Amino acid sequence: MQLNDIIRTLEKVAPPRLADEGDKTGLQVGDASSDISKVIVAVDPTPAVIDHAVDSGSDLLISHHPLIFNPLETLAAGTSVKDSVIKLIKADIALYAMHTNYDSAPGGINDVLADRLGVRVMGLLTTRHREKKLKLAVFTPPEAIDAIRDAMAEAGAGIIGNYTHCSFRSDGMGTFVPLPGSEPYVGEIGRLQEEAEYKLEMIVPEWRLSQVLDTMIEKHPYEEVAYDIYPLENEPYSYGYGRVGRLAKPMKLSEFRQVVEESLESQQIRMIGNQDKPVEVVALCGGGGKRLIPDAFAAGADVYVTGDVGHHDFLDADALGLAVIDAGHYETERPGMELLAAKLSSEYAGESVTVEFIK
């Protein structure tokens, strides 16, 4: 399988447009046209992870954190980053980073973290991107509607909350007269044709419209496809850092700390707050989210789970009455990368591509 194909999959999972301005995401090392048969997934492209990729004969390393943050003026050996880049190039291993785009993406770092902790997500902790919704209605023959719906869904249409393939169909009668030079799917040149059709409607994010249209037209059997596009006043799609949600039932802060420790296999839990405080509303942000403590408080959270919390950050949260659990930067991001490896492994099971997560 070509790296280009894998990149297309990764960009569906974590669209590049969701990355922070200036964030170094995407292909950092390698040739997008190269063939890939073994993939390593990791949180950090550390020297140890890169050594494992080399020793295991991997072709691609997918990491959450980028290796190259700042422009490299030379590739002369002598720094950890340059040495790592040189090692990857010599071993013909590509490196792809999905960082802040995967943090914000639905089903990404933060949604996986919430699921791991048993938190039912109610909304975003912060909103960084908003995108308009459109309604696409296309007229199809009955025998083609399922294939067209599925193709549109795969291209990004029909997403409502945590549901995909959302659509509505209504039946009716279409009419047309094929003119000379046309190649009608049914009917005869110059004669009025009446044909039973379905009107298939699906919501489409504005940024995906072109891709959905191209996919729909390619899958549609008609020579000329009839479709309508409507702007919607619905709440736009929103993306951002962190999540806010609820536990299935309230528990003491000390009990929730144990849930976090066991779920994330974290041995370095740091916490502030009354051990007996009941917690139900949970805010969380994978990685280093100390700057979102005010957002967690404003969201009405009883406890905030993140990493890289400093001494004064703990004191500020305590003054607000907000409990904070620092479960570790790596530990809060690892579940998202583990799940990504599992998804890729499942998707490429029949493509002779192996995928492995490395701690």
Side-chain angles (χ1 to χ4, degrees):
M1 171 175 288
Q2 278 200 342
L3 177 53
N4 266 323
D5 298 320
I6 296 177
I7 289 176
R8 278 191 284 271
T9 298
L10 297 177
E11 289 185 347
K12 287 182 181 179
V13 173
R17 76 189 191 285
L18 298 184
D20 283 357
E21 184 177 355
D23 191 21
K24 307 300 191 258
T25 61
L27 186 63
Q28 293 206 307
V29 177
D31 181 351
S33 65
S34 60
D35 292 324
I36 304 296
S37 60
K38 184 170 179 57
V39 180
I40 295 293
V41 178
V43 175
D44 298 290
T46 63
V49 167
I50 291 173
D51 284 343
H52 180 88
V54 173
D55 294 341
S56 62
S58 300
D59 308 298
L60 171 63
L61 168 58
I62 302 171
S63 66
H64 181 47
H65 296 128
L67 173 62
I68 304 171
F69 280 96
N70 300 308
L72 299 177
E73 296 181 1
T74 73
L75 272 180
T79 69
S80 175
V81 171
K82 292 179 180 180
D83 291 347
S84 294
V85 171
I86 291 170
K87 185 172 290 187
L88 289 168
I89 292 173
K90 284 183 175 180
D92 197 18
I93 299 174
L95 171 63
Y96 186 93
M98 41 200 303
H99 190 210
T100 51
N101 50 333
Y102 194 37
D103 288 325
S104 294
I109 291 291
N110 287 292
D111 285 317
V112 178
L113 176 60
D115 184 65
R116 184 70 63 92
L117 298 181
V119 176
R120 181 176 181 180
V121 173
M122 301 183 298
L124 304 176
L125 184 55
T126 64
T127 299
R128 301 184 63 80
H129 303 271
R130 293 184 184 274
E131 295 172 345
K132 292 181 180 179
K133 296 176 182 177
L134 304 173
K135 175 68 70 67
L136 174 59
V138 56
F139 301 88
T140 76
E143 64 272 17
I145 190 167
D146 290 340
I148 292 173
R149 178 202 60 213
D150 292 345
M152 289 171 61
E154 288 299 316
I159 298 175
I160 301 178
N162 291 324
Y163 296 84
T164 66
H165 293 69
C166 300
S167 70
F168 182 80
R169 67 179 68 178
S170 53
D171 57 1
M173 186 68 68
T175 66
F176 54 91
V177 176
L179 298 177
S182 63
E183 297 180 3
Y185 177 65
V186 293
E188 299 179 15
I189 301 296
R191 296 189 61 178
L192 179 67
Q193 179 73 22
E194 294 186 351
E195 196 70 23
E197 292 181 322
Y198 279 119
K199 180 182 181 182
L200 173 67
E201 301 178 69
M202 299 180 80
I203 288 178
V204 182
E206 186 176 39
W207 73 275
R208 283 195 182 271
L209 179 61
S210 178
Q211 180 181 354
V212 171
L213 282 176
D214 289 345
T215 301
M216 178 270 290
I217 290 171
E218 181 180 358
K219 182 64 71 170
H220 206 291
Y222 286 178
E223 181 181 24
E224 297 290 345
V225 181
Y227 62 87
D228 300 321
I229 300 169
Y230 308 104
L232 299 179
E233 296 298 326
N234 302 48
E235 181 71 19
Y237 289 108
S238 297
Y239 309 92
Y241 292 157
R243 301 292 185 266
V244 179
R246 290 184 180 273
L247 299 172
K249 61 180 181 179
M251 63 179 71
K252 292 181 179 179
L253 179 60
S254 58
E255 295 172 327
F256 183 62
R257 170 184 174 146
Q258 186 174 355
V259 169
V260 174
E261 187 171 357
E262 293 175 355
S263 300
L264 303 184
E265 301 176 15
S266 178
Q267 304 302 315
Q268 300 179 357
I269 295 286
R270 299 161 60 233
M271 185 181 79
I272 197 165
N274 185 333
Q275 298 273 349
D276 294 325
K277 174 184 178 178
V279 298
E280 181 179 10
V281 179
V282 179
L284 56 90
C285 182
K290 63 183 182 182
R291 68 190 183 282
L292 301 185
I293 286 175
D295 297 277
F297 172 73
D302 302 310
V303 60
Y304 177 44
V305 181
T306 188
D308 294 349
V309 180
H311 174 75
H312 293 288
D313 304 309
F314 274 123
L315 296 181
D316 290 343
D318 195 44
L320 293 171
L322 174 67
V324 174
I325 296 177
D326 183 334
H329 192 128
Y330 173 87
E331 288 79 6
T332 54
E333 292 180 331
R334 182 179 65 194
M337 298 308 288
E338 288 177 332
L339 183 64
L340 174 67
K343 284 183 176 180
L344 294 177
S345 182
S346 176
E347 181 159 349
Y348 298 140
E351 303 289 344
S352 299
V353 176
T354 61
V355 183
E356 177 186 9
F357 176 79
I358 297 298
K359 293 184 178 180

